[in-house]
Amino acid sequence: MRREPVMGRAGGAGAGGLDIRLDPRDRPSAPSRAAKAERRAERPSERILEEPRAPKRKQREERASAPARKADRRRGRRRTPLFWRLFKWGALLGLWALIALGGLVAYEASKLPPMHTLMVPKRPPTVTILAADGKTLATRGDMGGVAVPIRELPPYLPKAFVAIEDQRFYSHFGLDPEGLARALVTNITSRRLRQGGSTLTQQLAKNLFLTQERTASRKVQELVLALWLEAKYSKDEILDLYLNRVYFGAGAYGVEAAAQRYFGKSARQVTLAEAAMLAGLVNSPSRLAPTRNLKGAQARAALVLAAMRDQGAISKDMAQTALARPAQLARPTAPGSSGYVADYVMDQLESFTGDVAGDVTVRTTIDPALQQAGERALEDTLAKSGAKFGVGQGALVSLDTDGAVKALVGGRSYEDSQFNRAVTAKRQPGSAFKPFIYLTALEHGLSPDTVRDDAPLQLKGWRPENSTHDYRGPVTLETALALSLNTVSVRLALEVGPKAVVATAHRLGITSNLDPNPSIALGTSEVSVLELAGAYVPFANGGIGVIPHVIDEVRGADGKVIYRRATSGPGRVLDGAYAAMMNRMLIQTLVMGTARRADLPGWEAAGKTGTSQDYRDAWFVGYTARFVTAVWLGNDDSSPTKKASGANLPVEIWSRYMKSAHQNAPVAELPGGLRSAGFGSIGYGQPGGSFLPPEGLPDDRPPAVVGQMPGRQAPQQEPMTLDRWFVETFLGGGRR
């Protein structure tokens, strides 16, 4: 730097100071930022003055450097691995999903009862109904069969269910994630629902506690309940519950009901092929039930056997043997009509045992062979001649002389109609009611040889006539009953009084209400087949009244006897002498009367036909010293038949059944019968009566009646007259 002296003042030339001029080349360069900072540090006062400017400068610097920093960050992110970012976000989403799932489970669990109060519901009771020989006739109850402990089942039966429904049953905790994932993949790839991921425990939870609806809410509740079951019960206990509760189709719940329904045997006795079929049914019981889709059930059973073989539950040879002999549907062992017996048993059971709290077994008095014989006789006869005679239905009841029901057929087909015509229906018995009138007459001092006129009769405009409109004049009571003469029956009813007839019928076993008017002589009051058969029993056993019964013994699930029938009944309701007289007369009905078509070689038999007004009902009640059997034919709507009478179809059915019932049985005579009275073999003829050849006898027909029957008119149509007063006062012809 070069300096030149300058005259003048300091601060200017004219001031006399120094004028110092700098050469531009000698000027110092602009101080660097670092130098300035150093000087500011050396001069505190100046630094304080400059500090307010720093924030603005810093902001400018930060703005200038921001793009660089962003670029650095972008370069840093590019260096972060993609899988790490995916894992981080996946874990985050999974955590939230888990929280949401936990909340959903907690919400659905809150809808269930408190776990400490939860209990497995009791299995609805099952009633097993046995024949007298111990064979199963039917089962009744919601489940269709009793529970069988898993320890009593063949080992391969529970293994079959595990193999096809839940391979990891013994290793999972109620939920099988692997099975659920497999089912999910299978359903997604096939684009339809092909597999289910539910475990056996989940299925059991659904069956025990939940409905069958398919909703997310129910599925969550099913999972909660499955976890509860796994915590409370062992695996074998869970499997035991499952096998005895699951549905197998055809109304069968539990393996025992299914085995009985499809194979006619207990689940304790099923073969490997049958066990495989049962295990295969639970997947789709309605579609695969062998009763409707045997081929489908067998194909599904083959899949079960393959699964069992692959999992080592059975050997290859066992699988091949079962495949070679697939399970077959067994024919029903009990007659179809046993359903009527079962219904009758269930109607009475509560009166013997009270409310049924558990499974019970009822042994009945039914003889399976006789039940089948009665069913066959009724159906075959109606199939052959029903249309010809305009008959659509029928019923048969057979009792032994103690009142035990040996056969009870309530209709042609239980599958088509469960209405029990043997017990529930009440129809007019027609002339089959006449034995009670004649018995009353005997007890009032008459005898089989007593003579009464078969002649026209008129009672206040009512004229009962024989169906043939002809009359035989004086006849014995024995002949009148054998020929079913209406006029004699009405005369006897008026003679002894309708009220006395009603009392006699009730004493012998009729339980229905009977109208005590003269028309009772023609059998106009309705009765059931069962009670009419029971009321004939005192004739067959010599005068001992009975109460028809079908239940012999009831046992609980533990084998203890709940009820056992003791010999009881009304006792003697008929003097033995009168029983002998009645047998003498009623034998003639089969020998030379309206039931002469009855065919029971070698046996002394008696009975009475009956045909109601307009051929609406056709009856025959016949008996031997062994059995009393009643047959009824007609139509459910009470429409007239085409002249079906007690003398034709009912007698035919009775004969066919009674031949089966008496086969190989030792011959026995009726009390007071013809043989015991010394008349030898049965033939046409009447002791103490007239001899009439069968070709001269009328068939059993409805009575011919003119006018309204007494006691049936409306009150305003019955003005009190001397004749009416006499009938009601002295002859018992008034209304009840």
Side-chain angles (χ1 to χ4, degrees), residues 181-364:
R182 184 187 66 252
L184 182 63
V185 171
T186 301
N187 295 334
I188 291 176
T189 55
S190 63
R191 296 183 179 181
R192 62 190 181 93
L193 188 63
R194 296 187 61 183
Q195 285 189 12
S198 296
T199 63
L200 287 178
T201 313
Q202 288 176 272
Q203 295 178 41
L204 176 62
K206 178 180 65 177
N207 290 334
L208 291 178
F209 303 106
L210 303 174
T211 63
Q212 298 298 317
E213 62 178 346
R214 293 188 175 185
T215 62
S217 175
R218 197 226 66 191
K219 198 68 178 177
V220 173
Q221 292 177 350
E222 176 185 297
L223 173 59
V224 173
L225 292 168
L227 296 176
W228 175 82
L229 286 170
E230 289 280 348
K232 188 173 180 63
Y233 297 98
S234 68
K235 288 291 186 178
D236 284 346
E237 288 174 332
I238 291 173
L239 192 55
D240 189 304
L241 285 170
Y242 178 85
L243 292 174
N244 284 291
R245 300 291 183 103
V246 70
Y247 183 56
F248 289 89
Y253 290 84
V255 289
E256 178 67 12
Q260 293 285 358
R261 177 68 179 86
Y262 298 132
F263 310 129
K265 64 176 69 171
S266 171
R268 301 174 179 87
Q269 302 167 335
V270 295
T271 64
L272 175 59
E274 292 166 344
M277 180 175 286
L278 291 176
L281 295 180
V282 297
N283 176 261
S284 182
S286 298
R287 179 176 61 87
L288 294 175
T291 50
R292 60 183 304 179
N293 185 9
L294 180 59
K295 294 297 182 182
Q298 291 174 338
R300 177 72 177 171
L303 295 178
V304 175
L305 291 170
M308 296 179 70
R309 180 195 59 206
D310 294 342
Q311 296 168 41
I314 58 174
S315 66
K316 183 178 179 180
D317 291 341
M318 294 174 66
Q320 290 177 345
T321 301
L323 287 171
R325 297 179 180 178
Q328 299 293 331
L329 190 65
R331 295 183 61 183
T333 56
S337 60
S338 60
Y340 295 114
V341 176
D343 291 348
Y344 180 44
V345 168
M346 295 303 295
D347 289 341
Q348 298 187 71
L349 185 60
E350 187 175 343
S351 63
F352 293 103
T353 63
D355 293 335
V356 178
D359 294 342
V360 297
T361 300
V362 181
R363 190 179 73 228
T364 68

Side-chain angles (χ1 to χ4, degrees), residues 69-87:
R69 288 197 303 270
K70 290 181 180 178
D72 291 342
R73 284 196 297 268
R74 283 195 296 270
R75 285 192 295 271
R77 284 197 298 268
R78 292 192 199 100
R79 288 193 296 270
T80 303
L82 177 62
F83 75 91
W84 175 254
R85 296 201 303 273
L86 292 176
F87 173 78

Side-chain angles (χ1 to χ4, degrees), residues 679-700:
F679 288 96
S681 61
I682 300 175
Y684 295 106
Q686 307 174 70
S690 59
F691 179 87
L692 294 173
E695 59 271 12
L697 298 176
D699 200 353
D700 184 68

